[in-house]
Amino acid sequence: MSYGYGAYKKTAVSTASKEQILLMLYQAAIKNCKKAIEAIEAKQIAKKGEYIGKLQDIVIELNNSLDFEVGGDIAKELSSLYDYILFSSSQANMKIDAEPLHGCLNVLNTLYEGWSEAIKSLKAAPGGTTEEVKK
């Protein structure tokens, strides 16, 4: 990675809103899930483990950031989905099988789309602000 690109990425993250960071995390999780699937299909075992590890790190961070007092049942449901992703990606890693990752990818895409729409709706609402968005 060149210095310029690294500096750009660091600035993009440090100046992003909480909502933008949430979407960036989902995008990165989706990207690593896709790359893990490709690595399994290409029989690149080391790369598979690397991408699944990155995917799991992101999902663990998302899970750790949940606020169960504020989020209530939604936070519990998200935690269950994150547990599913962690379990399925572990199965994919151990069995060198891409199929469980396809389920993870479906969940991640659905969550990303849902959060994107929720954030857009809040911004579009009269007097709306994305500061109200909580995980």
Side-chain angles (χ1 to χ4, degrees):
M1 181 182 317
S2 70
Y3 171 76
Y5 181 69
Y8 168 79
K9 280 180 65 175
K10 185 176 180 180
T11 300
V13 171
S14 65
T15 61
S17 68
K18 291 178 184 179
E19 296 78 25
Q20 289 170 317
I21 291 173
L22 176 68
L23 294 178
M24 288 172 157
L25 286 170
Y26 278 116
Q27 289 168 343
I30 290 166
K31 179 182 85 173
N32 282 294
C33 190
K34 287 178 179 177
K35 286 186 173 189
I37 291 168
E38 292 169 6
I40 290 171
E41 291 169 353
K43 308 275 191 255
Q44 296 174 329
I45 306 308
K47 287 286 185 192
K48 171 229 18 142
E50 178 184 330
Y51 295 129
I52 289 175
K54 289 178 181 181
L55 165 64
Q56 290 178 335
D57 286 346
I58 294 165
V59 172
I60 289 167
E61 185 60 36
L62 287 166
N63 196 42
N64 288 343
S65 70
L66 292 173
D67 186 336
F68 292 94
E69 289 181 28
V70 174
D73 288 340
I74 294 172
K76 289 177 188 172
E77 291 297 323
L78 284 170
S79 183
S80 293
L81 289 171
Y82 296 151
D83 287 345
Y84 164 79
I85 293 169
L86 291 171
F87 176 79
S88 294
S89 59
S90 293
Q91 292 297 306
N93 198 21
M94 289 185 294
K95 296 179 180 179
I96 312 173
D97 180 11
E99 187 57 35
L101 291 173
H102 289 287
C104 296
L105 190 55
N106 287 336
V107 170
L108 289 166
N109 280 321
T110 301
L111 289 172
Y112 175 78
E113 290 167 13
W115 279 114
S116 292
E117 287 304 312
I119 291 166
K120 284 179 194 172
S121 294
L122 280 174
K123 285 182 179 179
T129 172
T130 56
E131 289 302 314
E132 299 163 7
V133 174
K134 301 284 184 198
K135 287 192 275 170

